[in-house]
Each structure stands twice: as C-alpha cells, then as structure tokens.
Amino acid sequence: MLSEKETEKIKKQLIEHIEKSFPEEKKDFAIQKIISMSPHELEEFLVKNNLLKKEIKVECVFCGIVANIIESKKIGETKNSIAVLEINPLSKGHVLIIPKEHFSSSEKIKIDSWKLVKKISKKIKEKLKPKDIKIETVNFFGHEIINLIPLYKGSDEKNLVRKKANFEELEYLKEILSKKEMRKPEKKIEKTVELIKPRIP
C-alpha cells in the first residue's frame, strides 16, 4: 500500500493535473474526490484507471510510462523520447511526446524529440486528415511533455473537452499511426544492350 508521503505527493500531482486539464464545472468535484481518498482507495483508483500496476509505485506517471511500468499505447520512439496516445484525448488522435528524461523545462527537450513530433504530425495529417495540429509543451508531475492535438473542421480549439477513449479506438489509432510506410518499389531501368556486329573484312 502507498505510504502517507507517497499518497500526499500523488494527490498533489493529480490535483495539479485536474486544475490544468479538467473543465471548470468539474474541477471542484474531482479535486474533493481525490482529497478524500485513503491511501488504499487512491492506489485502487490508480490501478483501476491504468495509472499504476499493482505492487508497483512510481512518483511520475510519465516516467512510469517511459519505464513501461504504466501501460500505454506507444506509436513511436527515438533515443530520447516516446510517442503515446493520450487515453483522455481532447480530439481524435491526440498524442503525447514524452522525453525519457524527467525535467521541467521545454528548453531541455532534445532535437530528436522534435523530429518525432514532425514524424508523428505527418502521420496524423496523412491518416486522420485534420485541418491543423496544435503543438504545445506542458508540464505535468514536473515532467515536460509535448501535446499534439489534431484540430478538425467544425471544432473550436477553445471548447475542446477531454473524453476517455475506449480500448477499440485506441487500438485502431495505434495500428494506423504506428504502421511503417511501405517503400514504393524502385522502377528498374532496363539497360539497352547494343549489339555490335563484327566487321566483315
């Protein structure tokens, strides 16, 4: 079971997450629910929501995802970062680029993480056809991450609401966004061989 210190720390992280990402009318209820949880109830809540596997404790959700302690739908990876599907997306195909190193400054994000942003953004545009993709750095649990939020026709970016994605949808998105593109076969250039007739003296 979680210790009192671990419980306090996780509650604080969850409350910060709620304050930054929940709709205004749902914030108070969600925060009060987190505050009222006992260490046992909190651990059960984390396990139930796939934020923590039983008997494994992590201080940062994103470090847990990187370490493969917390389950995720990974669609890409580089030396310094991974790309996973957001399980509570703001829109279809919402992706998180998570640096493998725990730091709280966007200035420390490595070049290959931005290359992964470019690669995944291209796949989202090709496969899901959004009108645009909003790219922003945010800090949760003291861990800087990059959000890729597809924006579709008819949707207002100011009124986007997080919704829990179902398993089938996440599996479908994982399949189409992590699939490697097949290279087109190169056309063979047929060489014309000139037949040189022997000279007749």
Side-chain angles (χ1 to χ4, degrees):
M1 195 168 73
L2 295 168
S3 68
E4 283 186 24
K5 191 175 180 181
E6 287 170 328
T7 301
E8 279 180 35
K9 190 165 188 175
I10 292 171
K11 281 186 178 183
K12 186 179 177 184
Q13 291 170 343
L14 288 171
I15 289 166
E16 283 175 6
H17 178 68
I18 290 165
E19 287 175 339
K20 288 179 181 178
S21 62
F22 272 46
E24 203 62 45
E25 66 275 10
K26 293 182 180 179
K27 283 182 184 179
D28 287 343
F29 175 78
I31 289 170
Q32 287 307 314
K33 191 172 180 181
I34 295 297
I35 290 170
S36 66
M37 284 180 182
S38 68
H40 176 72
E41 287 170 335
L42 179 62
E43 189 167 346
E44 287 298 309
F45 168 80
L46 294 172
V47 171
K48 188 178 176 182
N49 288 278
N50 294 321
L51 295 174
L52 190 68
K53 289 182 181 177
K54 284 186 178 178
E55 297 177 6
I56 296 174
K57 299 166 189 176
V58 290
E59 292 185 354
C60 169
V61 168
F62 301 109
C63 288
I65 292 170
V66 168
N68 209 25
I69 293 169
I70 295 172
E71 293 177 20
S72 68
K73 299 293 181 187
K74 186 162 71 172
I75 59 170
E77 184 170 6
T78 62
K79 182 182 175 183
N80 296 299
S81 59
I82 62 170
V84 301
L85 290 164
E86 168 64 81
I87 59 170
N88 296 302
L90 285 165
S91 66
K92 183 180 178 181
H94 182 172
V95 171
L96 305 177
I97 307 294
I98 308 174
K100 293 178 180 179
E101 188 182 343
H102 183 98
F103 52 74
S104 57
S105 170
S106 59
E107 292 174 5
K108 291 185 178 180
I109 297 174
K110 303 280 195 307
I111 292 171
D112 83 338
S113 298
W114 292 111
K115 285 182 180 176
L116 188 57
V117 167
K118 188 176 178 181
K119 181 182 175 183
I120 299 297
S121 295
K122 186 181 176 186
K123 281 192 177 183
I124 291 171
K125 284 178 181 175
E126 287 174 357
K127 304 293 183 181
L128 303 178
K129 312 291 184 192
K131 64 177 181 181
D132 199 7
I133 297 176
K134 184 181 179 183
I135 299 170
E136 63 178 9
T137 59
V138 290
N139 188 299
F140 289 134
F141 307 102
H143 198 132
E144 196 75 13
I145 61 170
I146 307 167
N147 270 300
L148 307 183
I149 306 166
L151 303 172
Y152 298 93
K153 285 181 182 177
S155 64
D156 183 357
E157 115 179 46
K158 292 178 183 176
N159 296 322
L160 293 176
V161 177
R162 288 183 180 273
K163 293 178 183 175
K164 190 169 182 64
N166 63 49
F167 178 81
E168 289 79 14
E169 184 181 4
L170 290 174
E171 279 296 307
Y172 166 74
L173 289 170
K174 181 183 176 182
E175 186 180 337
I176 65 169
L177 294 177
S178 60
K179 191 182 285 184
K180 289 183 179 179
E181 297 296 322
M182 295 290 288
R183 284 187 178 181
K184 291 180 181 178
E186 292 178 14
K187 288 182 180 178
K188 289 182 179 179
I189 301 168
E190 293 181 7
K191 291 182 180 179
T192 55
V193 179
E194 292 182 5
L195 294 173
I196 303 170
K197 290 182 181 178
R199 287 182 185 179
I200 300 170

